[in-house]
Structure formats: C-alpha cells, structure tokens
Amino acid sequence: MPSRRGWPATTVHTRSLTAVTSFGLGPDHLELRAWVHTFAADVVRPAAAEWDEREEFPWPVLEEAAEVGLYSLDFFATQAFDETGLGIPLTMEELFWGDAGIGLSIVGTALAAAGVSSNGTDEQVAEWVPQMFGSPGDLRTAAFCSSEPDAGSDVGAMRTRATYDEATDEWVLNGTKTWATNGGMADVHVVTAVVEPELRSRGQASFVVPPRTKGLSQGQKFAKHGIRASHTAEVVLDSVRVPGRCLLGGKEKLDARLARARAARDGATPASAAGRSGNASMATFERTRPAVGAQAVGIARAAYEVALDYARTREQFGKPIIENQAIAFALADMRTSIDAARLLVWRAAWMAATGARFDAAEGSMSKLVAGETAVAVTEKAMQVLGGNGYTRDYPVERMARDAKIYTIFEGTSEIQRLVIARTISGAPIR
C-alpha cells in the first residue's frame, strides 16, 4: 500500500483488522437469543399492558422467569463471565423488546449482584449473591442504592454516611437513597455511602445491608412516566447497623484506598497516580453502561417492528403507507439508527469482557447513542401510526414512555457527553 503523509507505510489498519474474526454470532449466542426471545414473546409481552396499568411489581412473571432459569444465580453468573461480553447485551435486548418495565423487574436484582461481584471479596460474593435470587416458590430480590435527592449525577455530593464503630465492629449508616430499583421491598440492599467526606467521591464505600436489618425502610414509591411495572422507591437508612463483614472489599482494602486518596489530595503522590485513582470509578461505570444501552436498543427495535408492520398493512390514498417516501425514509432511518446503536453496545461489551481500555469512553458512547435512539425511534413509530400511535390500543405509546428514562437514568445524556469529552480531551471540562 502506498505511504501517505502521516500514515506509517506498513501498519495502516493492521492492529484493528487482526482483532476481528467474525461479525456473526456463534451457536451458543444464537441459542441464547432465541430462548430469551421466546420467553419475551410468550410470557412478557402478553402481560406488559396489564402490569404497566397496575404499576405493580410483576411477581407472577418473575416466578415464570425463575421456573425456566432466566431469573437465577446460575444464569446471572454464566452471562457475567461470558468471555465475548455479548451474553448480557443479547439477553437485555430481547427482554426489553418484550417490555421494559417487566424487563427491569427481572434484571434489577442483577444490578445489585454486579455491585457485590465488582467490589466484594470471593467470600462476600458467595455469601450474598445467592441470597439475592432465592429459588422458584421462594424468590428474593435485591436493590442497588446509589442516587440521592441532592446527589444524582454529582456523586461527590453524596450525604449518606457510614461510620465505623470499633467497639462492636459494625458500620452505622444514615441517609436517604432515591430512585432505587426494588428499593425498600428488596431482601438485600447494596448501599453506597461516604466514609470520609473530605475526599468526596474517593471517600466512598459500598455496603451490603442484610435482610430484615433494623432501621432500613421504604420511603416514597414513585409513580413514573414509564417502566411502570418496575418498583422504584426511596430507601431510608436510620442508624442502620451492619457487621464489619458487610463492607464490600473489607476494611483493610478500604483503608489502603483511602490512604492513597489522601496522599493524592495532599500532593504526596504524583498527579498521574492521582489521575489513575480517579479513573477507576469511571472505568467501572463504563463497563456497566453497555447493558443499559442494550435495553434501549430492545425498546427501539420493538417500536420499529410495530411501525414497519403497520406501514405495510395500513392503506391511505389507495396504497400501503410504506409506499410513501416520507414513511419509507423514516423507517430506513429508524432501522439504521438501531443497528448503529447495537454495534456500539456490542463493541463496548466486548471491550469490557476482554479488559480493553476505554480510551474514548466507549461505554458512555454506547449508552448515549442507544438511549437517544430509543427516544427518537419510539417517537417516529408513534408518528407512523398517527392517531393510533397515541392510544393505548397500540404498544408504541407505552414504548415511547419507557424509552425516555434511557436519556436520564444510569447517567443522563449530558453526563455521558461530559464523560466522553473529558476522556478524549484530557481536560477538566465543566
């Protein structure tokens, strides 16, 4: 290949090409996708409108998911350790193609389980994660509690405090969490709290609150615009005491991390070391965002399919409306956007599974594009259906309500852009 100015003559594109072996899914992934899709089509979709209207947690659907093995510790562990990273995105897309509210009820516990798996010791994972799922006939749930009334995107403003009582080897938690999926109703809660306020976000730790712990209660249950089958509530922590073993990672590890953070704050370590310490949390979030992006892709795909079918069968002016260029182009844009979002999600999930560096905040890219695609596609789907799309006789009205949260939770679109901008520029953009 001829050399061009600025291009090394012998290495153009070779590094990216050697990493790609196939864009196709293997037999195991195809089987997984078909299995979850069947459950979503046969069980989730028929129940979606009812539980959206009731705004209640869909226990009967969760029982059915547990009976087939979809809601279980084994399934969570198998997908979490998929070396390609695609198991979780495939599962999320198909479940949320079925319905977002019920889908979130099924996977909400996995968020807390991931929090324990990411930060806990092997012993803590073995002790707590099985208690989060239970078994058919004796189901359990878990909640991950991070956001607060005055500390959503600004995690450094968190006010929930955890104080160590050396006399009893217990941690005492006080504060209020909000927007917690399964919050208050869950058997196990994973709570992020501040242990050293002067260090802001670097002075935080995560704790497991066991079942029936005194002082933990459910606050307000939120009546939501969308994902209404999912339980979302405040969690109030009033002098909640948990054993020292409930500190995820253990006290020795926490003390060492706090010491490094103090040294970085006081200038006792190089600025580069401080930067690496600060990037650890962002890297963790980068690895969870593709799963959320896959949920958004599932909603968008579902709305697109309804619109496509409607456009093929709905006749106006003597022909199907899909033969009108305006409708056909809208559907073309919808399909293109969905496929592009899915590819970003799969890339980020693969990067997380293989330990690749997120040099351009690829996880945030996937969540940003997928979330905004879900909003745009569901709105276009409503437009294709016209007045029918605005009624509850057709599911795109519900899908549009469900989609909006994906530009808000797990990091707003603005926060995703901020993370991407800071990562690619290296500058403290505010």
Side-chain angles (χ1 to χ4, degrees):
M1 180 181 293
S3 177
R4 298 186 182 183
R5 183 176 299 176
W7 288 8
T10 59
T11 60
V12 177
H13 299 322
T14 54
R15 283 176 291 181
S16 60
L17 287 173
T18 55
V20 177
T21 57
S22 173
F23 275 125
L25 296 174
D28 289 346
H29 285 129
L30 291 172
E31 183 179 357
L32 170 67
R33 185 171 67 181
W35 176 60
V36 180
H37 180 83
T38 297
F39 181 83
D42 294 348
V43 179
V44 174
R45 278 204 165 180
E50 175 188 352
W51 291 99
D52 175 74
E53 189 70 26
R54 292 173 63 167
E55 297 190 58
E56 296 176 2
F57 190 85
W59 284 108
V61 181
L62 198 70
E63 283 284 358
E64 292 195 58
E67 288 172 4
V68 300
L70 185 57
Y71 183 79
S72 70
L73 172 59
D74 288 344
F75 182 77
F76 165 76
T78 299
Q79 302 315 316
F81 291 102
D82 177 5
E83 63 182 10
T84 68
L86 295 182
I88 288 178
L90 288 171
T91 299
M92 294 292 185
E93 180 176 337
E94 296 307 321
L95 269 180
F96 285 71
W97 170 89
D99 179 66
I102 293 177
L104 195 57
S105 295
I106 294 173
V107 306
T109 289
L111 300 177
V116 174
S117 299
S118 298
N119 300 302
T121 64
D122 290 343
E123 293 75 16
Q124 289 172 325
V125 172
E127 179 179 6
W128 296 114
V129 174
Q131 296 187 49
M132 295 180 174
F133 292 93
S135 58
D138 184 27
L139 294 184
R140 312 289 177 83
T141 60
F144 184 76
C145 308
S146 179
S147 294
E148 298 185 359
D150 296 316
S153 298
D154 184 7
V155 295
M158 188 178 293
R159 294 182 180 178
T160 298
R161 297 288 186 261
T163 306
Y164 184 59
D165 185 343
E166 292 190 28
T168 61
D169 184 29
E170 292 179 319
W171 289 89
V172 185
L173 279 62
N174 284 283
T176 299
K177 295 296 182 179
T178 194
W179 314 120
T181 299
N182 297 342
M185 61 161 271
D187 296 277
V188 179
H189 291 75
V190 179
V191 177
T192 304
V194 177
V195 296
E196 192 159 336
E198 295 79 9
L199 297 176
R200 290 179 60 79
S201 60
R202 293 182 183 176
Q204 298 173 2
S206 295
F207 301 84
V208 171
V209 180
R212 298 175 295 280
T213 298
K214 293 181 179 179
L216 185 148
S217 62
Q218 179 181 307
Q220 176 187 4
K221 179 189 174 184
F222 295 102
K224 304 187 297 295
H225 176 65
I227 54 170
R228 302 200 304 186
S230 172
H231 177 96
T232 309
E234 291 181 328
V235 175
V236 180
L237 303 147
D238 183 8
S239 297
V240 171
R241 285 183 168 267
V242 299
R245 63 185 174 82
C246 290
L247 167 65
L248 291 178
K251 194 167 188 306
E252 183 177 343
K253 183 178 179 181
L254 172 64
D255 289 341
R257 180 165 59 81
L258 294 177
R260 291 194 299 271
R262 292 188 207 102
R265 176 198 61 189
D266 299 336
T269 58
S272 59
R276 287 193 298 272
S277 175
N279 284 339
S281 294
M282 188 187 77
T284 299
F285 284 126
E286 285 296 286
R287 283 159 171 74
T288 62
R289 283 170 176 155
V292 180
Q295 298 171 10
V297 171
I299 299 169
R301 190 184 110 216
Y304 159 76
E305 290 176 1
V306 173
L308 178 62
D309 182 65
Y310 185 88
R312 285 170 170 165
T313 57
R314 171 69 166 172
E315 290 193 3
Q316 290 285 278
F317 306 105
K319 61 182 178 182
I321 63 173
I322 199 170
E323 295 183 20
N324 294 316
Q325 191 179 80
I327 300 297
F329 278 15
L331 290 163
D333 287 343
M334 292 159 72
R335 175 60 185 266
T336 301
S337 297
I338 291 166
D339 283 10
R342 183 186 295 110
L343 286 172
L344 282 174
V345 165
W346 284 13
R347 179 185 68 168
W350 172 82
M351 291 176 69
T354 57
R357 286 172 54 91
F358 288 90
D359 291 328
E362 288 87 351
S364 288
M365 286 183 184
S366 70
K367 197 270 181 181
L368 169 65
V369 172
E372 297 201 341
T373 294
V375 171
V377 167
T378 53
E379 182 186 7
K380 286 181 179 178
M382 290 180 70
Q383 194 71 22
V384 170
L385 270 68
N388 286 325
Y390 200 67
T391 70
R392 295 190 181 182
D393 293 335
Y394 287 79
V396 293
E397 177 271 339
R398 184 180 70 252
M399 294 167 183
R401 287 189 284 107
D402 292 341
K404 183 56 189 171
I405 194 62
Y406 286 87
T407 64
I408 299 173
F409 77 169
E410 301 294 326
T412 64
S413 289
E414 291 75 18
I415 288 296
Q416 307 305 330
R417 289 185 169 90
L418 182 62
V419 170
I420 296 165
R422 285 177 172 173
T423 305
I424 62 177
S425 68
I429 298 169
R430 300 185 185 279

